[in-house]
Amino acid sequence: MSLSTRGVAAAVRARAATNRAVHAERGVRLPAPDGALLLTDLYLAEPVRPRPVILVRTPYGREGVTGIFVHLARLFAERGYHAVVQSTRGTFGSGGVLGLHQEPGDGRATADWIIRQPWSNGEIGTYGPSYLSFTQWALASTRPPQLKAMAIQIMAADRHRVHYPGGAFALDTALTWSYSMAHQELGGTAGLRAALGRRLALDRASGHLPLIAADLVATGREVPFYREWLRHEQGSDPYWEQLELSRTIPGLGVPVSMVAGWYDYYLPSQLSDYAALRRAGAEVRLRVGGWRHGSVDGLAHGFREALAWFDRHLLHIDTGPTPRVSVEVMGGGGWQDLEEWPPPAAEQRWLLQPGGVLARRPAPDSEPDRYRYDPADPTPQVGGSSLSRNSGRRDNSRLESRADVLTYTSPPLTEDLEVIGQVVADLHVESSREHTDFFARLCDVDPRGRSWNVSDGLLRLGPGDDRHIRIELWPTAHCFRPGHRVRLQVSSGAHPRYARNLGGGEPQATGTAMRRSEQAVHHDPRRPSALVLPVPG
């Protein structure tokens, strides 16, 4: 047992080790179906005998700073499993070019190789967050009989909905990941320059038009997967068919542990996966904390959840009763165990009023609130769900001072208001453009006047779309405390989290012409706009 794994074990609060000796074999070359060689490291618990295997397939490296999963693999091996860590194609010495469509075949070839080894007992569990969970879903889509447990973290089975939330391209996340993947294998001064230049490069790229060439601005070269995502804007495009892995869920028959974050950009899709698994009768466990994507605390929770899940389903250790759903209620509400997600809740409607007021009473006759949206000066992203560092929980006070952001605020609360479930902005809107966006955000305004984002969502509209719109914000669990106020923001963007709507209906990949739009939000008795909060009964 190494000093480094002791430190990692302490950081993630793993259970005590049972196998202190681990035999490591690094750089094993496993053939993919097309002949590409995938570099793979083995961590075999001693004595080396048939045991269940934890498979980790990662594009982020098998050692070094980005290779934390090497340490976690050792942790699994020190607790009675064998662990296999593989660099996906096109990364860290593995052959081929990184491509999402090749992951099912590559994963299945690796899983089949594993069960042919004398140290395998024929059972595999899969582990890892983010892209590592995508490789899990990819493997599961091939229906391998040796797959006996999955530990999914901050990742959804489908792709298009994540890349085009509400219909707008998730620009910030796409560019940030493209930049990271283009520079992650650099070392020395080149790696340092890339790290120091990251923010400036991404700022320049996110402001560039057309978007199809923003990868050149960010990385200095074309990024094939980035361009593929942009070229295939419509969810009905055949490109997405193989990447819509939720079709795997019916009949999957594999126990699945899921860890998600309230500020994670995969959250709505991941909760849809949970619901689909429940409908399919799968054994599934869900845990959601107040984390953004890649949060260290969230990753530590994910490892502990995975280890307990594998102990139960692979080592057949009685881990005792566990609640099906556990959620962290933000705002100081602590963790709650639930029978199901979402829990039973009543819809509490808060009506938009003239003067920027949010109240439970009906709105009087009033003129709509108006603002101008200018794509040349787009409403900026402040916090929320993306891959950049400007994500998570942020004070929105400065953002709310902009002329293109409307706010509606309740009086100070006199008692706790607990909100758990799907938040909706039910709005009657108008625009001078057929092509336009509306963005809605729920905020918690504290007694000092700071406005903290809780959840949000965007909806892209086109010709013929109804202007009585329903924006589904990110699901949440939050407690508004006495003295705090509930606030709804309404605007027409959060750039660069969402690619700005240029106003002319050009393809998002190639559009360049920017057109301002005049926007309106109604709140009269005929067109009552409302914030709809799920309040558990």
Side-chain angles (χ1 to χ4, degrees), residues 308-336:
W309 197 249
F310 296 145
D311 285 350
R312 178 176 178 178
H313 293 286
L314 297 178
L315 293 185
H316 308 292
I317 297 173
D318 184 2
T319 57
T322 56
R324 180 176 293 124
V325 179
S326 296
V327 300
E328 182 181 8
V329 180
M330 298 182 294
W335 284 88
Q336 286 190 21

Side-chain angles (χ1 to χ4, degrees), residues 132-322:
L132 287 70
S133 280
F134 174 73
T135 64
Q136 294 186 55
W137 281 120
L139 171 60
S141 72
T142 71
R143 307 287 187 183
Q146 62 267 48
L147 180 60
K148 302 300 181 183
M150 301 169 66
I152 299 292
Q153 300 168 43
I154 54 174
M155 172 57 66
D158 287 346
R159 306 299 299 178
H160 182 267
R161 182 180 173 188
V162 173
H163 289 299
Y164 289 89
F169 185 59
L171 179 62
D172 186 19
T173 292
L175 283 176
T176 300
W177 199 64
S178 296
Y179 189 89
S180 297
M181 296 302 291
H183 297 96
Q184 66 172 348
E185 297 189 44
L186 295 178
T189 56
L192 180 60
R193 283 197 301 270
L196 293 175
R198 174 190 179 106
R199 182 169 182 174
L200 180 60
L202 290 174
D203 285 347
R204 285 201 310 262
S206 64
H208 181 80
L209 292 174
L211 292 182
I212 194 68
D215 56 347
L216 284 170
V217 178
T219 70
R221 59 180 181 267
E222 294 185 5
V223 179
F225 55 79
Y226 169 84
R227 296 189 168 216
E228 288 173 354
W229 298 338
L230 268 171
R231 288 191 179 108
H232 303 284
E233 183 174 340
Q234 301 303 318
S236 58
D237 192 301
Y239 169 83
W240 299 104
E241 183 176 353
Q242 189 179 348
L243 300 178
E244 304 302 341
L245 300 178
S246 60
R247 69 182 187 277
T248 298
I249 290 175
L252 176 64
V254 176
V256 180
S257 165
M258 306 189 86
V259 173
W262 296 128
Y263 293 106
D264 187 78
Y265 54 90
Y266 286 111
L267 176 68
S269 296
Q270 192 170 357
L271 293 178
S272 295
D273 293 342
Y274 169 81
L277 286 163
R278 291 287 295 132
R279 288 193 300 270
E283 184 179 354
V284 58
R285 164 97 163 95
L286 173 67
R287 188 178 183 90
V288 191
W291 308 307
R292 62 185 181 91
H293 196 82
S295 157
V296 173
D297 188 39
L299 295 176
H301 273 78
F303 177 83
R304 290 197 299 275
E305 287 291 309
L307 182 60
W309 197 249
F310 296 145
D311 285 350
R312 178 176 178 178
H313 293 286
L314 297 178
L315 293 185
H316 308 292
I317 297 173
D318 184 2
T319 57
T322 56

Side-chain angles (χ1 to χ4, degrees), residues 342-354:
E347 288 191 348
Q348 189 177 99
R349 296 180 70 85
W350 289 77
L351 282 299
L352 280 60
Q353 314 274 332

Side-chain angles (χ1 to χ4, degrees), residues 207-213 230 233 500-515:
H208 181 80
L209 292 174
L211 292 182
I212 194 68
L230 268 171
E233 183 174 340
R500 54 192 157 171
N501 195 318
L502 301 183
E506 295 179 275
Q508 295 188 60
T510 57
T512 57
M514 293 186 279
R515 299 172 173 86

Side-chain angles (χ1 to χ4, degrees), residues 172-173 176 198 292 381 386-392 394:
D172 186 19
T173 292
T176 300
R198 174 190 179 106
R292 62 185 181 91
Q381 164 191 356
S386 74
L387 192 55
S388 76
R389 294 173 182 173
N390 184 23
S391 62
R394 296 284 188 273

Side-chain angles (χ1 to χ4, degrees), residues 466-512:
D466 192 349
R467 262 39 181 180
H468 178 194
I469 62 174
R470 175 186 170 91
I471 303 177
E472 292 191 349
L473 281 61
W474 256 230
T476 193
H478 187 87
C479 185
F480 293 84
R481 294 300 191 184
H484 290 231
R485 292 175 290 162
V486 179
R487 175 170 290 169
L488 175 68
Q489 283 181 26
V490 180
S491 64
S492 288
H495 185 264
R497 175 181 167 192
Y498 299 97
R500 54 192 157 171
N501 195 318
L502 301 183
E506 295 179 275
Q508 295 188 60
T510 57
T512 57

